[in-house]
Every structure is written in structure tokens, then in C-alpha cells.
Amino acid sequence: MLEFTIPGTLPTLNEIIKASKSHPIAYANMKKDYTALVMLHARKLPKLERTDVDITWYCKDMRKDKDNIAAGTKFILDGLVKAKIIKNDGWKQIGNINHHFEVDKDNPRIKVELHQI
């Protein structure tokens, strides 16, 4: 099992939709920035051919819906590709994706575990 942590939070689905409607480049910039953030934290992991992904979202509070929070998975998988941990984020490289949700008001973060299969 490989693990890395992303400090803070990633954009929710509502924030992604709002950005994509506000300006054509707003979402592109958001995706670029958050994909790079994930890449920065994952870059020292070894390469994997195929992996299951367990994501634990440590949220500041319970105000946002879990499905809204989990939209950040897009940035995580794209960041793993950009860091060259996985070749692509398709069915051949990604097995199951599991989500877990916790509250940590003092230290919101995202813990990503990769289980080689």
C-alpha cells in the first residue's frame, strides 16, 4: 500500500460547476492548479500498473454533501497521471475507488491510499 496526503480541500462539484459557467478559462485554470497540487504530493511514489484507490476526506464540518466533496477525485486521478504514478486513469489502470468521510475541523485534508492489484 502506498499513501500520500493532500493538505486542505479540493473544489467541490458545486465549485467546479460555478467555475465552468463563470468563464471558459476558469475551470481550466482550476483543473491545472489542483492537478498540480496533487502531483506535488504524490510525485515520489513508485509507478503502478493497476491500483485500487481509497480516499479519506477529512472535512472541516458536515455542511457539504459527500457526493459533492468526492468530485475532487477527478483532480486526484489526473494528478497521479501527471506525476507518472499511473499511465492513465482509465479502467485498465484504476480498479475500485472507495470513499471514506471524517470530520477534522482543525486539519482538513485528503488521505489517498493506493493498493496495487
Side-chain angles (χ1 to χ4, degrees), residues 2-3 8 10-11 13 18 21 26-27 29-30 32 39 41 49 51 55 63 66 71 90 93-95 97 101 103 115:
L2 304 172
E3 178 181 314
L10 294 174
L13 181 58
K18 183 178 178 181
K21 288 181 175 182
Y27 172 70
N29 287 337
M30 174 187 279
K32 182 179 101 181
M39 181 189 71
H41 292 284
E49 291 295 317
T51 185
I55 305 170
R63 291 185 191 174
K66 292 177 179 181
Q93 296 79 27
I94 303 296
I97 302 172
F101 299 87
V103 174
H115 304 272

Side-chain angles (χ1 to χ4, degrees), residues 98-112:
N98 301 300
H99 298 277
H100 311 277
F101 299 87
E102 302 289 337
V103 174
D104 187 340
K105 67 178 182 172
D106 297 322
N107 186 21
R109 64 197 181 280
I110 302 129
K111 182 175 78 171
V112 180

Side-chain angles (χ1 to χ4, degrees), residues 39-98:
M39 181 189 71
L40 177 71
H41 292 284
R43 69 177 184 232
K44 294 185 180 181
L45 297 175
K47 293 181 182 182
L48 298 170
E49 291 295 317
R50 185 166 165 79
T51 185
D52 285 337
V53 182
D54 286 334
I55 305 170
T56 304
W57 306 89
Y58 292 92
C59 306
K60 185 176 179 179
D61 52 43
M62 292 188 279
R63 291 185 191 174
K64 297 173 182 168
D65 295 337
K66 292 177 179 181
D67 60 333
N68 200 5
I69 295 164
T73 303
K74 173 70 175 158
F75 303 114
I76 293 171
L77 296 181
D78 288 353
L80 290 171
V81 172
K82 190 164 179 86
K84 299 185 179 180
I85 307 305
I86 54 176
K87 185 177 180 180
N88 198 351
D89 57 355
W91 285 60
K92 290 182 180 178
Q93 296 79 27
I94 303 296
N96 293 318
I97 302 172
N98 301 300

